[in-house]
Amino acid sequence: MKTDCVVQAAPFSGRKQSLIEDARRERSSGSTGSPGPLRDRENFVFEKEEEKEGKAALNVLFTLSNDRNGGFFKIGKIFETFEAKLLHIESRMGRKSKNSTADLEFFMKCEVQNVDLEVFINSLKGVTEDVRSIPEKKVPWFPRQIKDLDRCNMLITKFDPDMDHDHPGYSDPEYRKRRAFISELAFTYKQGDLLPIVEYTAEEVSTWREIYRQLCSIYPNMACKQFLDNLQQLEKECGYGEDSIPQLREVSAFLKERTGFQLRPVAGLLSARDFLNSLAFRVFQCTQYIRHSSSPMHSPEPDCCHELLGHVPMLADKEFAQFSQEIGLASLGASDEDIEKLATVYWFTVEFGLCKQDGAVKAYGAGLLSSSGELAYALSNEPDYKQFNPEEMAVQPYQDQTYQPVYFVAESFEDAKLKLRRYSATIKRPFSVRYDPFTSSIEVLDQPSKLQNVLSQMREDLKILHIALEKLSSS
């Protein structure tokens, strides 16, 4: 059950125009989520939710000569002196022994206070030989369970009408008060709560009606078939229409049955990392406020018109839902540079993507399907078209102040998904991930035993398929 507690919004730094710009600023500021090592393998560690203040993870290699009696006990004394925590130790016969009695090589993982790091290594050099330190490669923290999305709430950008002088609602105190109330619903939401219901005002419904009429008048000739079919179903089952703004609770239940996606309320534009990470769980972060009535055909930020009309109908398509989740899975533990590239791929597909259908180019991107002006422009002869290519998309300059000069056209969602998988495989991560729909959790495939478990599950699935094929052939 939801409570009536009031949670203050976190401070917002800067103004960003898009998910891509969010990723760019995260990268330049070095912000990669909640730091601190969680668990290690090889020379990388996963960052954890709470930083271990002042400590450094260290891999150190050294050689201990048999001529130095008591050398190992001296090493122990060094660890005791600096209160270093030994995490792992291995030893082997030295490869380049100069003496008749073989030296020993040691590999240690340990944790040392940052301020003592240099003196600690120099002390080891005093009692051992060939000391080499290997820095850990930190993997940014990412959610492992769906409840961890409660922590994915970094609103780096907020076009708040209280802060943004260019916002259409800046000079309207009633609108600003209304926005604060709706934002509070998102701030207090926790995974597992019932999605909040918003009782929209007559003015808000009037704004929705104007947008809905305008867009629905051009959808038949410009939107892809999947969008049109699912919009029709939403009108039948979720109250889509001119006279009321659909509620997230009903829409989320509809998506859950169709593709496994669900909605989660959000107060504004999330950081690129947090937003993309959510997609890995088939969770779409969705705003509930609506744009100001003075500017129904333009909003400087995502609002419920953009989400409910642009995104939701496509998330009800199985192939597109899988495509969206693939981007999310690729973002887990990715570097800041790769997050920026994935955000750009998202921009040119999920937001501004085009596809071929029945010999014509149609729109499937939410940024197009929620903007009558850019939708008409994108399907005119003015912009340039390029073939769907994630490698090229990832570095393509984008436009966030006016219409895009170039759009990428997919042959099909299946083709786009396969090309995205090939691109995702080039992202440098020392592990792979797999989503478990039964537990709504992410499994990190970084050990042979985990791979064996996945193979066992695949064998069971193949047995089921084999039995089904036998029954079909015998009927």
Side-chain angles (χ1 to χ4, degrees):
M1 295 293 292
K2 288 188 65 59
T3 63
D4 294 326
C5 62
V6 176
V7 179
Q8 293 297 322
F12 304 101
S13 57
R15 166 175 174 162
K16 299 186 188 137
Q17 302 298 321
S18 70
L19 196 68
I20 305 171
E21 190 63 23
D22 285 344
R24 244 170 228 173
R25 293 199 187 185
E26 281 184 70
R27 182 182 171 195
S28 63
S29 66
S31 173
T32 56
S34 304
L38 175 62
R39 113 187 226 307
D40 51 62
R41 177 174 171 79
E42 304 295 338
N43 289 326
F44 73 88
V45 294
F46 292 112
E47 291 185 346
K48 65 181 256 183
E49 297 156 21
E50 296 180 359
E51 182 178 8
K52 292 185 178 178
E53 292 290 344
K55 291 186 178 181
L58 178 69
N59 291 337
V60 62
L61 294 166
F62 58 85
T63 300
L64 189 61
S65 172
N66 278 328
D67 292 340
R68 297 195 175 189
N69 295 326
F72 193 77
F73 296 100
K74 293 178 181 178
I75 294 171
K77 191 65 176 177
I78 292 172
F79 269 75
E80 181 181 355
T81 300
F82 289 95
E83 298 182 344
K85 183 178 180 181
L86 182 61
L87 304 175
H88 180 79
I89 183 171
E90 296 178 16
S91 65
R92 68 182 181 191
M93 301 300 291
R95 295 180 179 179
K96 299 179 180 179
S97 177
K98 299 177 182 178
N99 308 313
S100 56
T101 56
D103 298 334
L104 287 177
E105 289 183 349
F106 286 87
F107 168 74
M108 289 184 175
K109 284 179 180 281
C110 55
E111 212 170 60
V112 188
Q113 294 291 333
N114 277 315
V115 294
D116 297 332
L117 194 57
E118 185 176 350
V119 181
F120 175 78
I121 293 174
N122 287 334
S123 298
L124 288 177
K125 289 179 179 179
V127 297
T128 64
E129 300 173 1
D130 195 21
V131 178
R132 290 160 289 161
S133 62
I134 305 173
E136 297 276 20
K137 299 175 184 177
K138 286 190 175 180
V139 176
W141 177 88
F142 58 88
R144 305 294 186 90
Q145 298 176 311
I146 196 168
K147 66 181 181 181
D148 293 339
L149 296 184
D150 288 343
R151 300 185 179 96
C152 293
N153 54 10
M154 183 181 289
L155 291 172
I156 296 182
T157 297
K158 188 183 182 185
F159 297 98
D160 193 298
D162 289 331
M163 301 164 60
D164 180 7
H165 291 216
D166 296 326
H167 195 288
Y170 176 74
S171 59
D172 186 343
E174 287 302 316
Y175 178 80
R176 290 159 58 178
K177 182 179 178 181
R178 176 69 168 164
R179 278 288 302 273
F181 169 77
I182 295 176
S183 294
E184 198 64 33
L185 297 177
F187 282 125
T188 58
Y189 176 84
K190 298 297 181 184
Q191 181 63 39
D193 291 350
L194 287 175
L195 292 174
I197 297 294
V198 176
E199 298 293 337
Y200 291 101
T201 66
E203 183 180 23
E204 290 168 336
V205 174
S206 178
T207 301
W208 165 270
R209 180 182 297 112
E210 185 175 353
I211 298 166
Y212 197 88
R213 283 178 179 173
Q214 174 66 19
L215 288 171
C216 285
S217 68
I218 61 175
Y219 280 157
N221 296 323
M222 297 184 176
C224 67
K225 183 179 184 300
Q226 291 89 337
F227 179 90
L228 294 174
D229 290 345
N230 289 325
L231 180 60
Q232 188 176 44
Q233 289 300 118
L234 286 161
E235 289 176 336
K236 291 180 181 178
E237 301 182 33
C238 295
Y240 271 56
E242 297 180 2
D243 297 328
S244 63
I245 302 174
Q247 295 291 341
L248 295 197
R249 191 179 298 179
E250 295 176 5
V251 177
S252 185
F254 172 84
L255 289 177
K256 187 73 173 177
E257 289 183 0
R258 303 272 295 202
T259 63
F261 252 91
Q262 56 187 299
L263 303 180
R264 179 188 174 97
V266 66
L269 185 61
L270 283 178
S271 72
R273 185 179 295 278
D274 283 353
F275 180 81
L276 295 177
N277 281 184
S278 300
L279 295 177
F281 294 82
R282 298 207 170 201
V283 170
F284 185 82
Q285 304 267 6
C286 189
T287 55
Q288 289 184 283
Y289 55 79
I290 194 167
R291 62 196 65 178
H292 194 265
S293 59
S294 67
S295 181
M297 296 304 163
H298 171 73
S299 175
E301 59 190 328
D303 74 330
C304 65
C305 297
H306 173 75
E307 322 281 38
L308 296 173
L309 290 174
H311 283 289
V312 166
M314 291 308 305
L315 290 173
D317 178 77
K318 289 183 178 180
E319 283 190 330
F320 186 80
Q322 182 63 38
F323 176 83
S324 300
Q325 186 182 28
E326 295 276 350
I327 296 179
L329 290 168
S331 75
L332 298 177
S335 67
D336 291 339
E337 180 181 1
D338 283 323
I339 287 291
E340 181 181 333
K341 290 180 177 179
L342 283 168
T344 311
V345 171
Y346 182 92
W347 178 270
F348 283 110
T349 54
V350 179
E351 290 292 350
F352 293 98
L354 299 173
C355 63
K356 292 180 181 179
Q357 286 187 345
D358 301 324
V361 176
K362 301 291 184 178
Y364 70 87
L368 299 176
L369 293 166
S370 60
S371 169
S372 59
E374 185 156 6
L375 180 56
Y377 167 81
L379 296 176
S380 70
N381 295 324
E382 293 187 48
D384 292 332
Y385 288 168
K386 291 186 177 182
Q387 289 185 340
F388 189 96
N389 183 341
E391 288 81 5
E392 186 175 357
M393 274 182 203
V395 295
Q396 173 69 40
Y398 70 97
Q399 178 55 253
D400 61 10
Q401 297 296 321
T402 184
Y403 300 156
Q404 304 301 308
V406 60
Y407 298 91
F408 290 84
V409 184
E411 294 294 329
S412 67
F413 292 142
E414 181 63 26
D415 179 65
K417 184 172 64 177
L418 292 174
K419 288 179 178 177
L420 177 66
R421 281 179 180 171
R422 286 197 291 268
Y423 172 74
S424 299
T426 67
I427 294 176
K428 294 180 180 179
R429 294 184 299 187
F431 57 89
S432 293
V433 294
R434 174 176 176 268
Y435 177 68
D436 184 347
F438 300 106
T439 59
S440 298
S441 63
I442 299 296
E443 184 176 10
V444 178
L445 303 178
D446 59 348
Q447 296 177 6
S449 60
K450 294 182 179 180
L451 296 178
Q452 187 61 46
N453 290 337
V454 174
L455 285 172
S456 297
Q457 294 175 29
M458 291 177 65
R459 290 191 189 101
E460 293 302 316
D461 290 339
L462 287 172
K463 288 178 183 178
I464 295 172
L465 289 174
H466 179 70
I467 293 172
L469 287 171
E470 285 184 335
K471 290 183 177 182
L472 285 175
S473 60
S474 62
S475 60

